[in-house]
mmCIF file with all atom_site columns, all heavy atoms in Angstrom:
data_model
loop_
_atom_site.group_PDB
_atom_site.id
_atom_site.type_symbol
_atom_site.label_atom_id
_atom_site.label_alt_id
_atom_site.label_comp_id
_atom_site.label_asym_id
_atom_site.label_entity_id
_atom_site.label_seq_id
_atom_site.pdbx_PDB_ins_code
_atom_site.Cartn_x
_atom_site.Cartn_y
_atom_site.Cartn_z
_atom_site.occupancy
_atom_site.B_iso_or_equiv
_atom_site.pdbx_formal_charge
_atom_site.auth_seq_id
_atom_site.auth_comp_id
_atom_site.auth_asym_id
_atom_site.auth_atom_id
_atom_site.pdbx_PDB_model_num
ATOM 1   N N   . VAL R 1 195 ? 10.954  11.893 5.588  1.00 0.00 ? 195 VAL R N   1
ATOM 2   C CA  . VAL R 1 195 ? 11.654  12.291 4.368  1.00 0.00 ? 195 VAL R CA  1
ATOM 3   C C   . VAL R 1 195 ? 12.599  13.452 4.692  1.00 0.00 ? 195 VAL R C   1
ATOM 4   O O   . VAL R 1 195 ? 12.177  14.459 5.267  1.00 0.00 ? 195 VAL R O   1
ATOM 5   C CB  . VAL R 1 195 ? 10.655  12.723 3.276  1.00 0.00 ? 195 VAL R CB  1
ATOM 6   C CG1 . VAL R 1 195 ? 11.396  13.126 2.010  1.00 0.00 ? 195 VAL R CG1 1
ATOM 7   C CG2 . VAL R 1 195 ? 9.669   11.592 2.990  1.00 0.00 ? 195 VAL R CG2 1
ATOM 8   N N   . PRO R 1 196 ? 13.880  13.343 4.343  1.00 0.00 ? 196 PRO R N   1
ATOM 9   C CA  . PRO R 1 196 ? 14.812  14.445 4.590  1.00 0.00 ? 196 PRO R CA  1
ATOM 10  C C   . PRO R 1 196 ? 14.349  15.742 3.932  1.00 0.00 ? 196 PRO R C   1
ATOM 11  O O   . PRO R 1 196 ? 13.795  15.728 2.830  1.00 0.00 ? 196 PRO R O   1
ATOM 12  C CB  . PRO R 1 196 ? 16.125  13.943 3.970  1.00 0.00 ? 196 PRO R CB  1
ATOM 13  C CG  . PRO R 1 196 ? 16.000  12.447 3.968  1.00 0.00 ? 196 PRO R CG  1
ATOM 14  C CD  . PRO R 1 196 ? 14.543  12.173 3.739  1.00 0.00 ? 196 PRO R CD  1
ATOM 15  N N   . GLN R 1 197 ? 14.601  16.845 4.602  1.00 0.00 ? 197 GLN R N   1
ATOM 16  C CA  . GLN R 1 197 ? 14.151  18.143 4.127  1.00 0.00 ? 197 GLN R CA  1
ATOM 17  C C   . GLN R 1 197 ? 14.605  18.424 2.705  1.00 0.00 ? 197 GLN R C   1
ATOM 18  O O   . GLN R 1 197 ? 13.836  18.948 1.883  1.00 0.00 ? 197 GLN R O   1
ATOM 19  C CB  . GLN R 1 197 ? 14.673  19.245 5.067  1.00 0.00 ? 197 GLN R CB  1
ATOM 20  C CG  . GLN R 1 197 ? 14.087  20.617 4.822  1.00 0.00 ? 197 GLN R CG  1
ATOM 21  C CD  . GLN R 1 197 ? 12.649  20.743 5.294  1.00 0.00 ? 197 GLN R CD  1
ATOM 22  O OE1 . GLN R 1 197 ? 12.223  20.003 6.175  1.00 0.00 ? 197 GLN R OE1 1
ATOM 23  N NE2 . GLN R 1 197 ? 11.898  21.671 4.712  1.00 0.00 ? 197 GLN R NE2 1
ATOM 24  N N   . GLU R 1 198 ? 15.834  18.019 2.387  1.00 0.00 ? 198 GLU R N   1
ATOM 25  C CA  . GLU R 1 198 ? 16.377  18.330 1.062  1.00 0.00 ? 198 GLU R CA  1
ATOM 26  C C   . GLU R 1 198 ? 15.705  17.529 -0.053 1.00 0.00 ? 198 GLU R C   1
ATOM 27  O O   . GLU R 1 198 ? 15.845  17.865 -1.236 1.00 0.00 ? 198 GLU R O   1
ATOM 28  C CB  . GLU R 1 198 ? 17.887  18.100 1.032  1.00 0.00 ? 198 GLU R CB  1
ATOM 29  C CG  . GLU R 1 198 ? 18.345  16.663 1.236  1.00 0.00 ? 198 GLU R CG  1
ATOM 30  C CD  . GLU R 1 198 ? 18.554  16.288 2.706  1.00 0.00 ? 198 GLU R CD  1
ATOM 31  O OE1 . GLU R 1 198 ? 18.010  16.992 3.586  1.00 0.00 ? 198 GLU R OE1 1
ATOM 32  O OE2 . GLU R 1 198 ? 19.260  15.298 2.935  1.00 0.00 ? 198 GLU R OE2 1
ATOM 33  N N   . LEU R 1 199 ? 14.970  16.461 0.302  1.00 0.00 ? 199 LEU R N   1
ATOM 34  C CA  . LEU R 1 199 ? 14.291  15.646 -0.710 1.00 0.00 ? 199 LEU R CA  1
ATOM 35  C C   . LEU R 1 199 ? 12.821  16.008 -0.880 1.00 0.00 ? 199 LEU R C   1
ATOM 36  O O   . LEU R 1 199 ? 12.155  15.483 -1.786 1.00 0.00 ? 199 LEU R O   1
ATOM 37  C CB  . LEU R 1 199 ? 14.407  14.161 -0.351 1.00 0.00 ? 199 LEU R CB  1
ATOM 38  C CG  . LEU R 1 199 ? 15.818  13.570 -0.331 1.00 0.00 ? 199 LEU R CG  1
ATOM 39  C CD1 . LEU R 1 199 ? 15.764  12.089 -0.042 1.00 0.00 ? 199 LEU R CD1 1
ATOM 40  C CD2 . LEU R 1 199 ? 16.543  13.830 -1.644 1.00 0.00 ? 199 LEU R CD2 1
ATOM 41  N N   . LEU R 1 200 ? 12.306  16.898 -0.057 1.00 0.00 ? 200 LEU R N   1
ATOM 42  C CA  . LEU R 1 200 ? 10.891  17.262 -0.156 1.00 0.00 ? 200 LEU R CA  1
ATOM 43  C C   . LEU R 1 200 ? 10.513  17.843 -1.528 1.00 0.00 ? 200 LEU R C   1
ATOM 44  O O   . LEU R 1 200 ? 9.413   17.577 -2.026 1.00 0.00 ? 200 LEU R O   1
ATOM 45  C CB  . LEU R 1 200 ? 10.512  18.232 0.959  1.00 0.00 ? 200 LEU R CB  1
ATOM 46  C CG  . LEU R 1 200 ? 10.500  17.630 2.370  1.00 0.00 ? 200 LEU R CG  1
ATOM 47  C CD1 . LEU R 1 200 ? 10.156  18.703 3.402  1.00 0.00 ? 200 LEU R CD1 1
ATOM 48  C CD2 . LEU R 1 200 ? 9.522   16.471 2.465  1.00 0.00 ? 200 LEU R CD2 1
ATOM 49  N N   . PRO R 1 201 ? 11.400  18.617 -2.176 1.00 0.00 ? 201 PRO R N   1
ATOM 50  C CA  . PRO R 1 201 ? 11.030  19.123 -3.514 1.00 0.00 ? 201 PRO R CA  1
ATOM 51  C C   . PRO R 1 201 ? 10.805  18.027 -4.549 1.00 0.00 ? 201 PRO R C   1
ATOM 52  O O   . PRO R 1 201 ? 10.135  18.258 -5.560 1.00 0.00 ? 201 PRO R O   1
ATOM 53  C CB  . PRO R 1 201 ? 12.227  20.014 -3.893 1.00 0.00 ? 201 PRO R CB  1
ATOM 54  C CG  . PRO R 1 201 ? 12.805  20.433 -2.579 1.00 0.00 ? 201 PRO R CG  1
ATOM 55  C CD  . PRO R 1 201 ? 12.649  19.244 -1.684 1.00 0.00 ? 201 PRO R CD  1
ATOM 56  N N   . ASN R 1 202 ? 11.355  16.822 -4.309 1.00 0.00 ? 202 ASN R N   1
ATOM 57  C CA  . ASN R 1 202 ? 11.147  15.711 -5.239 1.00 0.00 ? 202 ASN R CA  1
ATOM 58  C C   . ASN R 1 202 ? 10.304  14.604 -4.606 1.00 0.00 ? 202 ASN R C   1
ATOM 59  O O   . ASN R 1 202 ? 10.376  13.443 -5.004 1.00 0.00 ? 202 ASN R O   1
ATOM 60  C CB  . ASN R 1 202 ? 12.482  15.127 -5.718 1.00 0.00 ? 202 ASN R CB  1
ATOM 61  C CG  . ASN R 1 202 ? 12.320  14.284 -6.976 1.00 0.00 ? 202 ASN R CG  1
ATOM 62  O OD1 . ASN R 1 202 ? 11.382  14.457 -7.742 1.00 0.00 ? 202 ASN R OD1 1
ATOM 63  N ND2 . ASN R 1 202 ? 13.240  13.353 -7.185 1.00 0.00 ? 202 ASN R ND2 1
ATOM 64  N N   . THR R 1 203 ? 9.495   14.981 -3.619 1.00 0.00 ? 203 THR R N   1
ATOM 65  C CA  . THR R 1 203 ? 8.592   14.046 -2.969 1.00 0.00 ? 203 THR R CA  1
ATOM 66  C C   . THR R 1 203 ? 7.179   14.242 -3.521 1.00 0.00 ? 203 THR R C   1
ATOM 67  O O   . THR R 1 203 ? 6.712   15.376 -3.670 1.00 0.00 ? 203 THR R O   1
ATOM 68  C CB  . THR R 1 203 ? 8.601   14.254 -1.445 1.00 0.00 ? 203 THR R CB  1
ATOM 69  O OG1 . THR R 1 203 ? 9.926   13.973 -0.955 1.00 0.00 ? 203 THR R OG1 1
ATOM 70  C CG2 . THR R 1 203 ? 7.608   13.334 -0.753 1.00 0.00 ? 203 THR R CG2 1
ATOM 71  N N   . VAL R 1 204 ? 6.528   13.140 -3.842 1.00 0.00 ? 204 VAL R N   1
ATOM 72  C CA  . VAL R 1 204 ? 5.187   13.191 -4.431 1.00 0.00 ? 204 VAL R CA  1
ATOM 73  C C   . VAL R 1 204 ? 4.222   13.895 -3.481 1.00 0.00 ? 204 VAL R C   1
ATOM 74  O O   . VAL R 1 204 ? 4.220   13.643 -2.276 1.00 0.00 ? 204 VAL R O   1
ATOM 75  C CB  . VAL R 1 204 ? 4.698   11.771 -4.749 1.00 0.00 ? 204 VAL R CB  1
ATOM 76  C CG1 . VAL R 1 204 ? 3.273   11.789 -5.273 1.00 0.00 ? 204 VAL R CG1 1
ATOM 77  C CG2 . VAL R 1 204 ? 5.632   11.111 -5.760 1.00 0.00 ? 204 VAL R CG2 1
ATOM 78  N N   . CYS R 1 205 ? 3.408   14.786 -4.035 1.00 0.00 ? 205 CYS R N   1
ATOM 79  C CA  . CYS R 1 205 ? 2.457   15.569 -3.246 1.00 0.00 ? 205 CYS R CA  1
ATOM 80  C C   . CYS R 1 205 ? 1.084   14.903 -3.268 1.00 0.00 ? 205 CYS R C   1
ATOM 81  O O   . CYS R 1 205 ? 0.511   14.684 -4.331 1.00 0.00 ? 205 CYS R O   1
ATOM 82  C CB  . CYS R 1 205 ? 2.351   16.989 -3.810 1.00 0.00 ? 205 CYS R CB  1
ATOM 83  S SG  . CYS R 1 205 ? 1.146   18.015 -2.927 1.00 0.00 ? 205 CYS R SG  1
ATOM 84  N N   . TYR R 1 206 ? 0.582   14.581 -2.073 1.00 0.00 ? 206 TYR R N   1
ATOM 85  C CA  . TYR R 1 206 ? -0.756  13.988 -1.948 1.00 0.00 ? 206 TYR R CA  1
ATOM 86  C C   . TYR R 1 206 ? -1.744  14.987 -1.356 1.00 0.00 ? 206 TYR R C   1
ATOM 87  O O   . TYR R 1 206 ? -2.818  14.599 -0.890 1.00 0.00 ? 206 TYR R O   1
ATOM 88  C CB  . TYR R 1 206 ? -0.685  12.730 -1.077 1.00 0.00 ? 206 TYR R CB  1
ATOM 89  C CG  . TYR R 1 206 ? 0.281   11.700 -1.605 1.00 0.00 ? 206 TYR R CG  1
ATOM 90  C CD1 . TYR R 1 206 ? 1.589   11.622 -1.112 1.00 0.00 ? 206 TYR R CD1 1
ATOM 91  C CD2 . TYR R 1 206 ? -0.085  10.823 -2.621 1.00 0.00 ? 206 TYR R CD2 1
ATOM 92  C CE1 . TYR R 1 206 ? 2.494   10.693 -1.608 1.00 0.00 ? 206 TYR R CE1 1
ATOM 93  C CE2 . TYR R 1 206 ? 0.813   9.894  -3.131 1.00 0.00 ? 206 TYR R CE2 1
ATOM 94  C CZ  . TYR R 1 206 ? 2.102   9.835  -2.615 1.00 0.00 ? 206 TYR R CZ  1
ATOM 95  O OH  . TYR R 1 206 ? 2.997   8.923  -3.123 1.00 0.00 ? 206 TYR R OH  1
ATOM 96  N N   . ASN R 1 207 ? -1.389  16.245 -1.396 1.00 0.00 ? 207 ASN R N   1
ATOM 97  C CA  . ASN R 1 207 ? -2.265  17.277 -0.844 1.00 0.00 ? 207 ASN R CA  1
ATOM 98  C C   . ASN R 1 207 ? -3.465  17.523 -1.775 1.00 0.00 ? 207 ASN R C   1
ATOM 99  O O   . ASN R 1 207 ? -3.444  17.163 -2.948 1.00 0.00 ? 207 ASN R O   1
ATOM 100 C CB  . ASN R 1 207 ? -1.482  18.579 -0.660 1.00 0.00 ? 207 ASN R CB  1
ATOM 101 C CG  . ASN R 1 207 ? -1.906  19.325 0.592  1.00 0.00 ? 207 ASN R CG  1
ATOM 102 O OD1 . ASN R 1 207 ? -2.788  18.887 1.334  1.00 0.00 ? 207 ASN R OD1 1
ATOM 103 N ND2 . ASN R 1 207 ? -1.265  20.460 0.861  1.00 0.00 ? 207 ASN R ND2 1
ATOM 104 N N   . TYR R 1 208 ? -4.496  18.139 -1.210 1.00 0.00 ? 208 TYR R N   1
ATOM 105 C CA  . TYR R 1 208 ? -5.707  18.553 -1.933 1.00 0.00 ? 208 TYR R CA  1
ATOM 106 C C   . TYR R 1 208 ? -6.566  17.366 -2.394 1.00 0.00 ? 208 TYR R C   1
ATOM 107 O O   . TYR R 1 208 ? -7.211  17.404 -3.439 1.00 0.00 ? 208 TYR R O   1
ATOM 108 C CB  . TYR R 1 208 ? -5.355  19.459 -3.118 1.00 0.00 ? 208 TYR R CB  1
ATOM 109 C CG  . TYR R 1 208 ? -4.325  20.498 -2.785 1.00 0.00 ? 208 TYR R CG  1
ATOM 110 C CD1 . TYR R 1 208 ? -3.217  20.700 -3.602 1.00 0.00 ? 208 TYR R CD1 1
ATOM 111 C CD2 . TYR R 1 208 ? -4.438  21.264 -1.616 1.00 0.00 ? 208 TYR R CD2 1
ATOM 112 C CE1 . TYR R 1 208 ? -2.254  21.656 -3.282 1.00 0.00 ? 208 TYR R CE1 1
ATOM 113 C CE2 . TYR R 1 208 ? -3.484  22.215 -1.287 1.00 0.00 ? 208 TYR R CE2 1
ATOM 114 C CZ  . TYR R 1 208 ? -2.382  22.408 -2.119 1.00 0.00 ? 208 TYR R CZ  1
ATOM 115 O OH  . TYR R 1 208 ? -1.430  23.335 -1.793 1.00 0.00 ? 208 TYR R OH  1
ATOM 116 N N   . GLU R 1 209 ? -6.529  16.285 -1.610 1.00 0.00 ? 209 GLU R N   1
ATOM 117 C CA  . GLU R 1 209 ? -7.438  15.164 -1.879 1.00 0.00 ? 209 GLU R CA  1
ATOM 118 C C   . GLU R 1 209 ? -8.878  15.620 -1.669 1.00 0.00 ? 209 GLU R C   1
ATOM 119 O O   . GLU R 1 209 ? -9.207  16.289 -0.690 1.00 0.00 ? 209 GLU R O   1
ATOM 120 C CB  . GLU R 1 209 ? -7.133  14.004 -0.936 1.00 0.00 ? 209 GLU R CB  1
ATOM 121 C CG  . GLU R 1 209 ? -8.083  12.835 -1.099 1.00 0.00 ? 209 GLU R CG  1
ATOM 122 C CD  . GLU R 1 209 ? -7.841  11.732 -0.084 1.00 0.00 ? 209 GLU R CD  1
ATOM 123 O OE1 . GLU R 1 209 ? -7.114  11.969 0.905  1.00 0.00 ? 209 GLU R OE1 1
ATOM 124 O OE2 . GLU R 1 209 ? -8.395  10.639 -0.275 1.00 0.00 ? 209 GLU R OE2 1
ATOM 125 N N   . ARG R 1 210 ? -9.737  15.221 -2.597 1.00 0.00 ? 210 ARG R N   1
ATOM 126 C CA  . ARG R 1 210 ? -11.151 15.612 -2.546 1.00 0.00 ? 210 ARG R CA  1
ATOM 127 C C   . ARG R 1 210 ? -12.012 14.375 -2.260 1.00 0.00 ? 210 ARG R C   1
ATOM 128 O O   . ARG R 1 210 ? -11.847 13.334 -2.893 1.00 0.00 ? 210 ARG R O   1
ATOM 129 C CB  . ARG R 1 210 ? -11.573 16.265 -3.868 1.00 0.00 ? 210 ARG R CB  1
ATOM 130 C CG  . ARG R 1 210 ? -10.810 17.546 -4.136 1.00 0.00 ? 210 ARG R CG  1
ATOM 131 C CD  . ARG R 1 210 ? -11.052 18.121 -5.522 1.00 0.00 ? 210 ARG R CD  1
ATOM 132 N NE  . ARG R 1 210 ? -10.238 19.314 -5.705 1.00 0.00 ? 210 ARG R NE  1
ATOM 133 C CZ  . ARG R 1 210 ? -10.613 20.541 -5.381 1.00 0.00 ? 210 ARG R CZ  1
ATOM 134 N NH1 . ARG R 1 210 ? -11.837 20.745 -4.892 1.00 0.00 ? 210 ARG R NH1 1
ATOM 135 N NH2 . ARG R 1 210 ? -9.809  21.575 -5.547 1.00 0.00 ? 210 ARG R NH2 1
ATOM 136 N N   . THR R 1 211 ? -12.918 14.502 -1.304 1.00 0.00 ? 211 THR R N   1
ATOM 137 C CA  . THR R 1 211 ? -13.832 13.413 -0.973 1.00 0.00 ? 211 THR R CA  1
ATOM 138 C C   . THR R 1 211 ? -15.245 13.965 -0.853 1.00 0.00 ? 211 THR R C   1
ATOM 139 O O   . THR R 1 211 ? -15.442 15.143 -0.548 1.00 0.00 ? 211 THR R O   1
ATOM 140 C CB  . THR R 1 211 ? -13.443 12.733 0.355  1.00 0.00 ? 211 THR R CB  1
ATOM 141 O OG1 . THR R 1 211 ? -13.436 13.706 1.410  1.00 0.00 ? 211 THR R OG1 1
ATOM 142 C CG2 . THR R 1 211 ? -12.065 12.094 0.265  1.00 0.00 ? 211 THR R CG2 1
ATOM 143 N N   . VAL R 1 212 ? -16.204 13.087 -1.105 1.00 0.00 ? 212 VAL R N   1
ATOM 144 C CA  . VAL R 1 212 ? -17.609 13.441 -0.944 1.00 0.00 ? 212 VAL R CA  1
ATOM 145 C C   . VAL R 1 212 ? -18.210 12.479 0.071  1.00 0.00 ? 212 VAL R C   1
ATOM 146 O O   . VAL R 1 212 ? -18.182 11.253 -0.133 1.00 0.00 ? 212 VAL R O   1
ATOM 147 C CB  . VAL R 1 212 ? -18.379 13.353 -2.272 1.00 0.00 ? 212 VAL R CB  1
ATOM 148 C CG1 . VAL R 1 212 ? -19.841 13.739 -2.051 1.00 0.00 ? 212 VAL R CG1 1
ATOM 149 C CG2 . VAL R 1 212 ? -17.745 14.258 -3.323 1.00 0.00 ? 212 VAL R CG2 1
ATOM 150 N N   . ALA R 1 213 ? -18.710 13.003 1.177  1.00 0.00 ? 213 ALA R N   1
ATOM 151 C CA  . ALA R 1 213 ? -19.304 12.177 2.226  1.00 0.00 ? 213 ALA R CA  1
ATOM 152 C C   . ALA R 1 213 ? -20.628 12.797 2.647  1.00 0.00 ? 213 ALA R C   1
ATOM 153 O O   . ALA R 1 213 ? -20.667 13.970 3.051  1.00 0.00 ? 213 ALA R O   1
ATOM 154 C CB  . ALA R 1 213 ? -18.365 12.071 3.425  1.00 0.00 ? 213 ALA R CB  1
ATOM 155 N N   . ALA R 1 214 ? -21.704 12.020 2.526  1.00 0.00 ? 214 ALA R N   1
ATOM 156 C CA  . ALA R 1 214 ? -23.047 12.493 2.884  1.00 0.00 ? 214 ALA R CA  1
ATOM 157 C C   . ALA R 1 214 ? -23.364 13.803 2.173  1.00 0.00 ? 214 ALA R C   1
ATOM 158 O O   . ALA R 1 214 ? -23.966 14.713 2.756  1.00 0.00 ? 214 ALA R O   1
ATOM 159 C CB  . ALA R 1 214 ? -23.166 12.653 4.393  1.00 0.00 ? 214 ALA R CB  1
#
Side-chain angles (χ1 to χ4, degrees):
V195 180
Q197 190 74 24
E198 64 272 19
L199 297 183
L200 291 178
N202 197 24
T203 297
V204 176
C205 178
Y206 303 96
N207 217 0
Y208 316 131
E209 177 185 14
R210 297 172 182 271
T211 58
V212 180

